[in-house]
C-alpha cells in the first residue's frame, strides 16, 4: 500500500476529444479515477504538462528564443493546472495548484511545506510550471518532485 503517489499527466491527456486545449469532460474522468485513490487515504500529487497548448522545443524558432519558448510552455502547464483544479473541486475532489513559475496573481508558489500541508488534508496537489527552469520537460520535473516529496 502506498502512502503518497505522484501522477504525471501530459497535456495531451487533457485535450480529450479536441485537437488541443482542455476538455473538461476528460478532466472530470481523470478526477473520478484519482478520487478512487484519495478515498483509500493515499495522497496524490499531480505534475501537470502543457503540450496541449505549447512545447518549448517546438515553439523555439523564427526568432522566439528557447528560454522564452520554455517559459510559454511552463505557463501552458499553469493554465492546465488552474482548469484541472477547478474541475476537481467542482466534482467533490479537493485540489490546489502550486506553481514553480512565479505567478502570484493566480496561484500559490510551490514550496515543500505548502505541498505537505495540503496533502495531509487529503487535497490533491497539482504542481504547475515543472521545475521552473527552461530546457526541461515536466517528465524530468516529475522525477525531481517525486524525490522531493517522497512519493
Ligand atoms: N518546461 C520547462 N521547464 C520545466 C517543465 C516544462 O521549460 O521544468 C516547458 C517545456 O518547454 C515543455 C513545456 O514546458 O515543453 C510543457 O511541458 P511538457 O512538454 O513536459 O508537457 P507534456 O508533454 O507533458 O504535455
Amino acid at each position: 500500500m502506498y502512502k503518497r503517489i505522484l501522477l504525471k499527466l501530459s497535456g495531451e491527456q487533457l485535450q480529450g476529444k479536441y485537437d488541443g486545449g482542455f476538455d473538461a469532460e476528460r478532466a472530470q474522468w481523470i478526477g473520478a479515477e484519482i478520487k478512487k485513490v484519495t478515498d483509500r487515504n493515499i495522497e496524490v500529487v499531480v505534475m501537470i504538462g502543457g503540450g496541449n497548448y505549447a512545447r518549448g522545443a517546438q515553439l523555439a524558432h523564427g526568432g522566439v528564443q528557447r528560454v522564452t519558448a520554455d517559459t510559454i510552455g511552463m505557463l501552458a502547464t499553469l493554465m492546465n493546472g488552474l482548469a484541472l483544479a477547478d474541475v476537481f473541486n467542482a466534482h467533490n475532489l479537493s485540489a490546489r495548484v502550486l506553481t514553480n513559475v512565479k505567478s502570484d496573481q493566480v496561484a500559490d508558489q510551490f514550496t515543500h511545506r505548502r505541498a505537505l500541508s495540503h496533502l495531509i488534508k487529503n487535497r490533491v496537489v497539482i504542481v504547475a510550471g515543472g521545475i521552473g527552469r527552461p530546457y526541461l520537460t515536466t517528465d524530468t520535473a516529475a522525477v525531481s518532485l517525486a524525490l522531493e516529496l517522497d512519493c
Side-chain angles (χ1 to χ4, degrees), residues 1-5 33-45 93 118-124:
M1 178 65 106
Y2 299 102
K3 179 184 184 299
R4 179 180 301 152
I5 63 158
E33 293 297 303
I34 291 175
K35 191 162 167 37
K36 292 177 194 167
V37 178
T38 57
D39 282 350
R40 292 167 63 191
N41 288 323
I42 298 169
E43 297 167 355
V44 176
V45 182
L93 178 64
H118 287 312
L119 289 169
I120 57 170
K121 292 169 192 146
N122 210 20
R123 293 173 180 152
V124 177

PDB file of all heavy atoms in Angstrom, residues 1-5 33-45 93 118-124:
ATOM      1  N   MET A   1       0.843  -1.206   0.000  1.00  0.00           N
ATOM      2  CA  MET A   1       0.000   0.000   0.000  1.00  0.00           C
ATOM      3  C   MET A   1       0.876   1.253   0.000  1.00  0.00           C
ATOM      4  O   MET A   1       1.800   1.379   0.779  1.00  0.00           O
ATOM      5  CB  MET A   1      -0.901  -0.028   1.248  1.00  0.00           C
ATOM      6  CG  MET A   1      -1.794   1.168   1.402  1.00  0.00           C
ATOM      7  SD  MET A   1      -3.028   1.333   0.118  1.00  0.00           S
ATOM      8  CE  MET A   1      -4.476   0.856   1.035  1.00  0.00           C
ATOM      9  N   TYR A   2       0.582   2.164  -0.932  1.00  0.00           N
ATOM     10  CA  TYR A   2       1.348   3.399  -0.997  1.00  0.00           C
ATOM     11  C   TYR A   2       0.730   4.452  -0.083  1.00  0.00           C
ATOM     12  O   TYR A   2      -0.475   4.500   0.091  1.00  0.00           O
ATOM     13  CB  TYR A   2       1.331   3.950  -2.423  1.00  0.00           C
ATOM     14  CG  TYR A   2       1.946   3.016  -3.429  1.00  0.00           C
ATOM     15  CD1 TYR A   2       1.142   2.248  -4.262  1.00  0.00           C
ATOM     16  CD2 TYR A   2       3.324   2.922  -3.546  1.00  0.00           C
ATOM     17  CE1 TYR A   2       1.706   1.393  -5.197  1.00  0.00           C
ATOM     18  CE2 TYR A   2       3.900   2.069  -4.470  1.00  0.00           C
ATOM     19  CZ  TYR A   2       3.086   1.308  -5.298  1.00  0.00           C
ATOM     20  OH  TYR A   2       3.645   0.467  -6.205  1.00  0.00           O
ATOM     21  N   LYS A   3       1.598   5.295   0.457  1.00  0.00           N
ATOM     22  CA  LYS A   3       1.093   6.410   1.275  1.00  0.00           C
ATOM     23  C   LYS A   3       0.849   7.645   0.398  1.00  0.00           C
ATOM     24  O   LYS A   3      -0.079   8.404   0.599  1.00  0.00           O
ATOM     25  CB  LYS A   3       2.127   6.749   2.352  1.00  0.00           C
ATOM     26  CG  LYS A   3       1.729   7.912   3.246  1.00  0.00           C
ATOM     27  CD  LYS A   3       2.853   8.255   4.223  1.00  0.00           C
ATOM     28  CE  LYS A   3       2.429   9.356   5.183  1.00  0.00           C
ATOM     29  NZ  LYS A   3       2.097  10.602   4.504  1.00  0.00           N
ATOM     30  N   ARG A   4       1.714   7.811  -0.605  1.00  0.00           N
ATOM     31  CA  ARG A   4       1.634   9.007  -1.461  1.00  0.00           C
ATOM     32  C   ARG A   4       2.130   8.639  -2.861  1.00  0.00           C
ATOM     33  O   ARG A   4       3.158   7.986  -2.985  1.00  0.00           O
ATOM     34  CB  ARG A   4       2.534  10.090  -0.856  1.00  0.00           C
ATOM     35  CG  ARG A   4       2.575  11.380  -1.624  1.00  0.00           C
ATOM     36  CD  ARG A   4       3.498  12.381  -0.932  1.00  0.00           C
ATOM     37  NE  ARG A   4       3.072  12.678   0.413  1.00  0.00           N
ATOM     38  CZ  ARG A   4       3.897  13.042   1.396  1.00  0.00           C
ATOM     39  NH1 ARG A   4       5.192  13.139   1.185  1.00  0.00           N
ATOM     40  NH2 ARG A   4       3.421  13.293   2.594  1.00  0.00           N
ATOM     41  N   ILE A   5       1.384   9.078  -3.852  1.00  0.00           N
ATOM     42  CA  ILE A   5       1.837   8.791  -5.219  1.00  0.00           C
ATOM     43  C   ILE A   5       1.923  10.076  -6.031  1.00  0.00           C
ATOM     44  O   ILE A   5       1.242  11.066  -5.731  1.00  0.00           O
ATOM     45  CB  ILE A   5       0.905   7.798  -5.957  1.00  0.00           C
ATOM     46  CG1 ILE A   5      -0.499   8.371  -6.132  1.00  0.00           C
ATOM     47  CG2 ILE A   5       0.881   6.441  -5.257  1.00  0.00           C
ATOM     48  CD1 ILE A   5      -1.267   7.718  -7.242  1.00  0.00           C
ATOM     49  N   GLU A  33     -11.107   9.032 -11.370  1.00  0.00           N
ATOM     50  CA  GLU A  33     -10.107   7.973 -11.161  1.00  0.00           C
ATOM     51  C   GLU A  33      -9.222   8.294  -9.957  1.00  0.00           C
ATOM     52  O   GLU A  33      -8.918   7.428  -9.135  1.00  0.00           O
ATOM     53  CB  GLU A  33      -9.238   7.809 -12.426  1.00  0.00           C
ATOM     54  CG  GLU A  33      -9.980   7.270 -13.624  1.00  0.00           C
ATOM     55  CD  GLU A  33     -10.511   5.859 -13.388  1.00  0.00           C
ATOM     56  OE1 GLU A  33      -9.709   4.966 -13.079  1.00  0.00           O
ATOM     57  OE2 GLU A  33     -11.747   5.673 -13.495  1.00  0.00           O
ATOM     58  N   ILE A  34      -8.818   9.560  -9.862  1.00  0.00           N
ATOM     59  CA  ILE A  34      -7.952   9.965  -8.737  1.00  0.00           C
ATOM     60  C   ILE A  34      -8.709   9.836  -7.418  1.00  0.00           C
ATOM     61  O   ILE A  34      -8.145   9.435  -6.391  1.00  0.00           O
ATOM     62  CB  ILE A  34      -7.437  11.410  -8.955  1.00  0.00           C
ATOM     63  CG1 ILE A  34      -6.461  11.439 -10.127  1.00  0.00           C
ATOM     64  CG2 ILE A  34      -6.782  11.959  -7.684  1.00  0.00           C
ATOM     65  CD1 ILE A  34      -5.977  12.828 -10.511  1.00  0.00           C
ATOM     66  N   LYS A  35     -10.000  10.136  -7.441  1.00  0.00           N
ATOM     67  CA  LYS A  35     -10.788  10.075  -6.202  1.00  0.00           C
ATOM     68  C   LYS A  35     -10.821   8.652  -5.628  1.00  0.00           C
ATOM     69  O   LYS A  35     -10.836   8.460  -4.409  1.00  0.00           O
ATOM     70  CB  LYS A  35     -12.203  10.602  -6.459  1.00  0.00           C
ATOM     71  CG  LYS A  35     -12.975  10.807  -5.169  1.00  0.00           C
ATOM     72  CD  LYS A  35     -14.161  11.697  -5.346  1.00  0.00           C
ATOM     73  CE  LYS A  35     -15.097  11.652  -4.143  1.00  0.00           C
ATOM     74  NZ  LYS A  35     -14.438  11.540  -2.851  1.00  0.00           N
ATOM     75  N   LYS A  36     -10.787   7.660  -6.505  1.00  0.00           N
ATOM     76  CA  LYS A  36     -10.743   6.273  -6.021  1.00  0.00           C
ATOM     77  C   LYS A  36      -9.483   6.047  -5.190  1.00  0.00           C
ATOM     78  O   LYS A  36      -9.465   5.225  -4.273  1.00  0.00           O
ATOM     79  CB  LYS A  36     -10.730   5.302  -7.208  1.00  0.00           C
ATOM     80  CG  LYS A  36     -12.013   5.266  -8.008  1.00  0.00           C
ATOM     81  CD  LYS A  36     -11.848   4.319  -9.192  1.00  0.00           C
ATOM     82  CE  LYS A  36     -12.969   4.499 -10.198  1.00  0.00           C
ATOM     83  NZ  LYS A  36     -12.671   3.818 -11.487  1.00  0.00           N
ATOM     84  N   VAL A  37      -8.434   6.774  -5.529  1.00  0.00           N
ATOM     85  CA  VAL A  37      -7.161   6.642  -4.811  1.00  0.00           C
ATOM     86  C   VAL A  37      -7.199   7.429  -3.503  1.00  0.00           C
ATOM     87  O   VAL A  37      -6.870   6.899  -2.438  1.00  0.00           O
ATOM     88  CB  VAL A  37      -5.997   7.119  -5.715  1.00  0.00           C
ATOM     89  CG1 VAL A  37      -4.673   7.043  -4.984  1.00  0.00           C
ATOM     90  CG2 VAL A  37      -5.962   6.286  -6.999  1.00  0.00           C
ATOM     91  N   THR A  38      -7.645   8.689  -3.578  1.00  0.00           N
ATOM     92  CA  THR A  38      -7.667   9.503  -2.349  1.00  0.00           C
ATOM     93  C   THR A  38      -8.677   8.943  -1.341  1.00  0.00           C
ATOM     94  O   THR A  38      -8.490   9.094  -0.139  1.00  0.00           O
ATOM     95  CB  THR A  38      -7.984  10.988  -2.642  1.00  0.00           C
ATOM     96  OG1 THR A  38      -9.231  11.075  -3.337  1.00  0.00           O
ATOM     97  CG2 THR A  38      -6.902  11.632  -3.478  1.00  0.00           C
ATOM     98  N   ASP A  39      -9.730   8.291  -1.836  1.00  0.00           N
ATOM     99  CA  ASP A  39     -10.707   7.690  -0.920  1.00  0.00           C
ATOM    100  C   ASP A  39     -10.098   6.546  -0.103  1.00  0.00           C
ATOM    101  O   ASP A  39     -10.653   6.140   0.919  1.00  0.00           O
ATOM    102  CB  ASP A  39     -11.930   7.165  -1.693  1.00  0.00           C
ATOM    103  CG  ASP A  39     -12.884   8.289  -2.078  1.00  0.00           C
ATOM    104  OD1 ASP A  39     -12.704   9.430  -1.586  1.00  0.00           O
ATOM    105  OD2 ASP A  39     -13.814   8.033  -2.870  1.00  0.00           O
ATOM    106  N   ARG A  40      -8.974   6.036  -0.574  1.00  0.00           N
ATOM    107  CA  ARG A  40      -8.255   4.997   0.181  1.00  0.00           C
ATOM    108  C   ARG A  40      -7.151   5.610   1.040  1.00  0.00           C
ATOM    109  O   ARG A  40      -6.233   4.916   1.487  1.00  0.00           O
ATOM    110  CB  ARG A  40      -7.657   3.981  -0.781  1.00  0.00           C
ATOM    111  CG  ARG A  40      -8.738   3.163  -1.482  1.00  0.00           C
ATOM    112  CD  ARG A  40      -8.185   2.385  -2.647  1.00  0.00           C
ATOM    113  NE  ARG A  40      -7.196   1.406  -2.244  1.00  0.00           N
ATOM    114  CZ  ARG A  40      -6.416   0.735  -3.084  1.00  0.00           C
ATOM    115  NH1 ARG A  40      -6.509   0.932  -4.374  1.00  0.00           N
ATOM    116  NH2 ARG A  40      -5.555  -0.144  -2.631  1.00  0.00           N
ATOM    117  N   ASN A  41      -7.263   6.942   1.255  1.00  0.00           N
ATOM    118  CA  ASN A  41      -6.301   7.675   2.078  1.00  0.00           C
ATOM    119  C   ASN A  41      -4.884   7.630   1.530  1.00  0.00           C
ATOM    120  O   ASN A  41      -3.919   7.653   2.291  1.00  0.00           O
ATOM    121  CB  ASN A  41      -6.324   7.199   3.528  1.00  0.00           C
ATOM    122  CG  ASN A  41      -7.572   7.652   4.221  1.00  0.00           C
ATOM    123  OD1 ASN A  41      -8.054   8.773   3.977  1.00  0.00           O
ATOM    124  ND2 ASN A  41      -8.134   6.789   5.048  1.00  0.00           N
ATOM    125  N   ILE A  42      -4.777   7.559   0.220  1.00  0.00           N
ATOM    126  CA  ILE A  42      -3.470   7.684  -0.427  1.00  0.00           C
ATOM    127  C   ILE A  42      -3.377   9.117  -0.967  1.00  0.00           C
ATOM    128  O   ILE A  42      -4.304   9.601  -1.629  1.00  0.00           O
ATOM    129  CB  ILE A  42      -3.325   6.662  -1.571  1.00  0.00           C
ATOM    130  CG1 ILE A  42      -3.411   5.238  -1.003  1.00  0.00           C
ATOM    131  CG2 ILE A  42      -2.006   6.875  -2.325  1.00  0.00           C
ATOM    132  CD1 ILE A  42      -3.556   4.154  -2.056  1.00  0.00           C
ATOM    133  N   GLU A  43      -2.296   9.785  -0.616  1.00  0.00           N
ATOM    134  CA  GLU A  43      -2.127  11.184  -1.050  1.00  0.00           C
ATOM    135  C   GLU A  43      -1.689  11.212  -2.516  1.00  0.00           C
ATOM    136  O   GLU A  43      -0.894  10.369  -2.950  1.00  0.00           O
ATOM    137  CB  GLU A  43      -1.083  11.873  -0.170  1.00  0.00           C
ATOM    138  CG  GLU A  43      -1.521  11.943   1.286  1.00  0.00           C
ATOM    139  CD  GLU A  43      -0.410  12.318   2.242  1.00  0.00           C
ATOM    140  OE1 GLU A  43       0.757  12.450   1.808  1.00  0.00           O
ATOM    141  OE2 GLU A  43      -0.704  12.471   3.444  1.00  0.00           O
ATOM    142  N   VAL A  44      -2.201  12.202  -3.249  1.00  0.00           N
ATOM    143  CA  VAL A  44      -1.918  12.268  -4.691  1.00  0.00           C
ATOM    144  C   VAL A  44      -1.333  13.635  -5.066  1.00  0.00           C
ATOM    145  O   VAL A  44      -1.911  14.681  -4.761  1.00  0.00           O
ATOM    146  CB  VAL A  44      -3.188  11.997  -5.525  1.00  0.00           C
ATOM    147  CG1 VAL A  44      -2.892  12.159  -7.028  1.00  0.00           C
ATOM    148  CG2 VAL A  44      -3.735  10.596  -5.245  1.00  0.00           C
ATOM    149  N   VAL A  45      -0.199  13.569  -5.723  1.00  0.00           N
ATOM    150  CA  VAL A  45       0.446  14.756  -6.296  1.00  0.00           C
ATOM    151  C   VAL A  45       0.363  14.605  -7.811  1.00  0.00           C
ATOM    152  O   VAL A  45       0.620  13.517  -8.335  1.00  0.00           O
ATOM    153  CB  VAL A  45       1.941  14.822  -5.889  1.00  0.00           C
ATOM    154  CG1 VAL A  45       2.594  16.079  -6.452  1.00  0.00           C
ATOM    155  CG2 VAL A  45       2.103  14.728  -4.381  1.00  0.00           C
ATOM    156  N   LEU A  93     -13.679  16.618  -5.388  1.00  0.00           N
ATOM    157  CA  LEU A  93     -12.294  16.190  -5.173  1.00  0.00           C
ATOM    158  C   LEU A  93     -11.491  17.449  -4.861  1.00  0.00           C
ATOM    159  O   LEU A  93     -11.285  18.304  -5.722  1.00  0.00           O
ATOM    160  CB  LEU A  93     -11.744  15.496  -6.433  1.00  0.00           C
ATOM    161  CG  LEU A  93     -10.280  15.045  -6.363  1.00  0.00           C
ATOM    162  CD1 LEU A  93     -10.072  13.976  -5.294  1.00  0.00           C
ATOM    163  CD2 LEU A  93      -9.818  14.520  -7.730  1.00  0.00           C
ATOM    164  N   HIS A 118      -1.092  20.707   2.295  1.00  0.00           N
ATOM    165  CA  HIS A 118      -2.295  20.329   1.537  1.00  0.00           C
ATOM    166  C   HIS A 118      -2.485  18.810   1.547  1.00  0.00           C
ATOM    167  O   HIS A 118      -3.605  18.315   1.710  1.00  0.00           O
ATOM    168  CB  HIS A 118      -2.195  20.811   0.089  1.00  0.00           C
ATOM    169  CG  HIS A 118      -2.353  22.296  -0.068  1.00  0.00           C
ATOM    170  ND1 HIS A 118      -3.369  23.007   0.534  1.00  0.00           N
ATOM    171  CD2 HIS A 118      -1.623  23.198  -0.774  1.00  0.00           C
ATOM    172  CE1 HIS A 118      -3.255  24.296   0.201  1.00  0.00           C
ATOM    173  NE2 HIS A 118      -2.203  24.433  -0.569  1.00  0.00           N
ATOM    174  N   LEU A 119      -1.391  18.097   1.386  1.00  0.00           N
ATOM    175  CA  LEU A 119      -1.507  16.636   1.276  1.00  0.00           C
ATOM    176  C   LEU A 119      -2.069  16.019   2.552  1.00  0.00           C
ATOM    177  O   LEU A 119      -2.904  15.104   2.475  1.00  0.00           O
ATOM    178  CB  LEU A 119      -0.141  16.018   0.937  1.00  0.00           C
ATOM    179  CG  LEU A 119       0.353  16.281  -0.488  1.00  0.00           C
ATOM    180  CD1 LEU A 119       1.815  15.874  -0.641  1.00  0.00           C
ATOM    181  CD2 LEU A 119      -0.515  15.553  -1.514  1.00  0.00           C
ATOM    182  N   ILE A 120      -1.655  16.538   3.694  1.00  0.00           N
ATOM    183  CA  ILE A 120      -2.158  15.918   4.931  1.00  0.00           C
ATOM    184  C   ILE A 120      -3.654  16.215   5.114  1.00  0.00           C
ATOM    185  O   ILE A 120      -4.331  15.507   5.853  1.00  0.00           O
ATOM    186  CB  ILE A 120      -1.370  16.327   6.211  1.00  0.00           C
ATOM    187  CG1 ILE A 120      -1.369  17.825   6.392  1.00  0.00           C
ATOM    188  CG2 ILE A 120       0.037  15.761   6.193  1.00  0.00           C
ATOM    189  CD1 ILE A 120      -0.815  18.258   7.746  1.00  0.00           C
ATOM    190  N   LYS A 121      -4.170  17.223   4.405  1.00  0.00           N
ATOM    191  CA  LYS A 121      -5.624  17.481   4.431  1.00  0.00           C
ATOM    192  C   LYS A 121      -6.331  16.701   3.325  1.00  0.00           C
ATOM    193  O   LYS A 121      -7.485  16.969   3.008  1.00  0.00           O
ATOM    194  CB  LYS A 121      -5.885  18.973   4.281  1.00  0.00           C
ATOM    195  CG  LYS A 121      -5.423  19.759   5.497  1.00  0.00           C
ATOM    196  CD  LYS A 121      -5.435  21.254   5.225  1.00  0.00           C
ATOM    197  CE  LYS A 121      -4.699  21.990   6.332  1.00  0.00           C
ATOM    198  NZ  LYS A 121      -3.979  23.164   5.849  1.00  0.00           N
ATOM    199  N   ASN A 122      -5.617  15.779   2.731  1.00  0.00           N
ATOM    200  CA  ASN A 122      -6.148  14.931   1.658  1.00  0.00           C
ATOM    201  C   ASN A 122      -6.574  15.726   0.423  1.00  0.00           C
ATOM    202  O   ASN A 122      -7.495  15.335  -0.285  1.00  0.00           O
ATOM    203  CB  ASN A 122      -7.287  14.036   2.170  1.00  0.00           C
ATOM    204  CG  ASN A 122      -7.347  12.714   1.398  1.00  0.00           C
ATOM    205  OD1 ASN A 122      -6.364  12.307   0.777  1.00  0.00           O
ATOM    206  ND2 ASN A 122      -8.496  12.060   1.415  1.00  0.00           N
ATOM    207  N   ARG A 123      -5.883  16.839   0.187  1.00  0.00           N
ATOM    208  CA  ARG A 123      -6.109  17.588  -1.044  1.00  0.00           C
ATOM    209  C   ARG A 123      -5.123  17.109  -2.109  1.00  0.00           C
ATOM    210  O   ARG A 123      -3.945  16.890  -1.798  1.00  0.00           O
ATOM    211  CB  ARG A 123      -5.865  19.081  -0.820  1.00  0.00           C
ATOM    212  CG  ARG A 123      -6.877  19.706   0.103  1.00  0.00           C
ATOM    213  CD  ARG A 123      -6.470  21.147   0.404  1.00  0.00           C
ATOM    214  NE  ARG A 123      -7.425  21.762   1.289  1.00  0.00           N
ATOM    215  CZ  ARG A 123      -7.118  22.738   2.142  1.00  0.00           C
ATOM    216  NH1 ARG A 123      -5.885  23.215   2.212  1.00  0.00           N
ATOM    217  NH2 ARG A 123      -8.052  23.253   2.907  1.00  0.00           N
ATOM    218  N   VAL A 124      -5.600  16.993  -3.315  1.00  0.00           N
ATOM    219  CA  VAL A 124      -4.698  16.698  -4.426  1.00  0.00           C
ATOM    220  C   VAL A 124      -3.854  17.948  -4.679  1.00  0.00           C
ATOM    221  O   VAL A 124      -4.392  19.062  -4.763  1.00  0.00           O
ATOM    222  CB  VAL A 124      -5.496  16.350  -5.698  1.00  0.00           C
ATOM    223  CG1 VAL A 124      -4.564  16.123  -6.880  1.00  0.00           C
ATOM    224  CG2 VAL A 124      -6.378  15.120  -5.457  1.00  0.00           C
TER     225      VAL A 124
END
